[in-house]
Amino acid sequence: MNNIDSDFSLVDLEKKILTLCQSHPKGLTDSILQDEMPNVNVEQRVSALNRLLSAGNLDLFKSDSQLIYKLKDPDLVSKNAICENTQEKLVYQVIGDAGNKGIWSRDIRLKCNLQMTQLNKILRNLESKKLIKAVKSVTASKKKLYMLFNLDPDISVTGGAWYSDQDFESEFVEVLNQQCYRCLVQKVEESLNLCVNQPRISLNNSFASSEEVWKIITNLKISKVTLTVTDIETILNTLIYDGKAEMKIESDPDGQEFKLYRAVKPIIDASGLEKTPCGICPVIDQCYENGAISPATCIYMKEWLES
Ligand code: SF4
């Protein structure tokens, strides 16, 4: 194989590796790759392998201190008889380079210097071969982002656990918020009952780790999506912003830090002006009239004005 010297040839190199994988069902080692492609330098080979791995086309194993690359989907090579012309190859490569954050069709058009009608045809072709897919982003639901078919969209595209079909699941977040708060209140009540007349111990026991709350919420099976400890920490943080919880960070004997949360009640009822939500608002810098975050649409401001 000739040395890879143009932007398009990376796709050819990927195809060559996929074909080699098919003829070596036990997997490819670096030495096989080197023997089969003597004119391809290590850098080009690693770059093509990395792209195939991150696109989910290959699996990587280790055996006898050797790396072994295997095809994930045996039909991939026939699917990959994809880019029959240079323009398709270029579009496929530009989409592949965008990774799981995807790329807008307008940006593909600019990078590939294609007419919109030409590009639409290529995108339809690649989509029908299941090489790429169109994904809606939470930031602009009317525009389509394109990414390689096997990739799972990045959280910045899907919005994570709080979004379903690009819509913010406010009801789901509210239920989680209430359940997390209930967990923390229960922990405080349990520690008060267990440690009567031992205020210091009772206080220490009244904290729950985010992992503890995560386990309880997971066991309640109220979520259709798999929640992570970080997702639960996001909810617990909203309790802190609402003044319903406090948090401290501690370290285990290995020096690993973990977060502990506790339900709190205000000791004295604050005066009306002190209760202004803006004082502890984490997004105050982004809040302005007619902005995405604004006092006119802020539920905390509305509640305060009505209280
Ligand atoms: S109006 Fe609402 S969003 Fe804006 S700073 Fe105040 S609390 Fe935050």
Side-chain angles (χ1 to χ4, degrees):
M1 185 170 183
N2 289 334
N3 242 358
I4 306 298
D5 56 6
S6 77
D7 281 348
F8 309 110
S9 305
L10 195 53
V11 175
D12 292 329
L13 180 52
E14 286 173 29
K15 282 176 73 179
K16 171 82 179 165
I17 293 174
L18 291 175
T19 312
L20 282 173
C21 279
Q22 214 179 28
S23 53
H24 291 79
K26 287 190 179 162
L28 293 176
T29 58
D30 278 322
S31 57
I32 296 177
L33 284 165
Q34 197 163 353
D35 292 347
E36 295 283 350
M37 305 187 293
N39 295 328
V40 174
N41 67 38
V42 179
E43 211 174 72
Q44 290 160 338
R45 200 169 70 222
V46 169
S47 157
L49 285 167
N50 281 343
R51 278 168 53 97
L52 288 168
L53 285 166
S54 63
N57 293 332
L58 293 184
D59 270 330
L60 180 61
F61 301 93
K62 208 170 177 189
S63 165
D64 298 335
S65 72
Q66 284 197 105
L67 293 177
I68 298 186
Y69 305 91
K70 273 192 191 175
L71 267 187
K72 255 191 185 163
D73 172 5
D75 294 335
L76 192 70
V77 178
S78 50
K79 282 183 200 162
N80 216 34
I82 46 173
C83 310
E84 270 118 33
N85 62 56
T86 312
Q87 287 168 337
E88 267 197 14
K89 282 181 191 175
L90 179 57
V91 171
Y92 180 73
Q93 181 160 335
V94 165
I95 293 174
D97 287 343
N100 66 349
K101 293 202 167 145
I103 181 165
W104 307 119
S105 52
R106 196 192 62 139
D107 294 336
I108 305 173
R109 189 168 64 85
L110 291 176
K111 286 193 176 204
C112 301
N113 201 15
L114 291 167
Q115 298 293 329
M116 207 57 209
T117 45
Q118 257 179 315
L119 176 62
N120 284 340
K121 196 171 160 213
I122 293 172
L123 290 172
R124 274 199 304 274
N125 268 346
L126 292 174
E127 272 190 275
S128 68
K129 291 175 188 168
K130 293 205 178 339
L131 289 161
I132 62 163
K133 62 184 171 190
V135 180
K136 280 191 199 162
S137 166
V138 285
T139 52
S141 59
K142 286 194 182 132
K143 288 201 270 176
K144 282 186 199 165
L145 277 172
Y146 290 90
M147 66 183 66
L148 295 187
F149 190 80
N150 293 330
L151 294 184
D152 288 326
D154 185 72
I155 194 166
S156 60
V157 176
T158 62
W162 320 128
Y163 284 79
S164 167
D165 291 335
Q166 283 68 51
D167 289 327
F168 182 65
E169 293 273 335
S170 56
E171 227 171 274
F172 171 55
V173 172
E174 184 55 34
V175 169
L176 273 181
N177 190 294
Q178 286 168 8
Q179 288 298 342
C180 286
Y181 182 59
R182 198 165 294 165
C183 289
L184 297 184
V185 170
Q186 257 172 20
K187 184 84 188 190
V188 172
E189 287 169 357
E190 275 167 22
S191 87
L192 282 173
N193 291 338
L194 278 172
C195 316
V196 183
N197 298 329
Q198 295 172 296
R200 188 82 210 156
I201 301 174
S202 168
L203 177 69
N204 286 340
N205 287 348
S206 61
F207 281 88
S209 70
S210 42
E211 197 160 338
E212 228 175 307
V213 180
W214 169 77
K215 275 187 192 150
I216 296 170
I217 299 290
T218 306
N219 290 338
L220 287 176
K221 295 192 175 30
I222 47 175
S223 171
K224 280 190 233 149
V225 290
T226 309
L227 296 171
T228 62
V229 176
T230 313
D231 289 332
I232 293 299
E233 284 178 0
T234 308
I235 297 288
L236 290 168
N237 286 342
T238 65
L239 293 175
I240 297 175
Y241 301 141
D242 288 346
K244 291 155 106 179
E246 63 180 358
M247 190 259 287
K248 65 175 179 177
I249 297 178
E250 295 216 334
S251 306
D252 65 17
D254 300 330
Q256 193 77 30
E257 288 189 338
F258 57 93
K259 291 175 182 165
L260 291 169
Y261 297 82
R262 175 176 181 271
V264 288
K265 271 196 245 157
I267 300 166
I268 47 163
D269 209 15
S271 71
L273 201 57
E274 283 169 3
K275 281 189 197 159
T276 321
C278 311
I280 53 161
C281 178
V283 290
I284 192 166
D285 293 346
Q286 297 154 47
C287 180
Y288 52 90
E289 232 175 291
N290 300 323
I293 301 169
S294 81
T297 55
C298 171
I299 55 162
Y300 299 104
M301 180 57 86
K302 188 166 175 270
E303 269 171 23
W304 177 69
L305 289 171
E306 288 171 359
S307 64

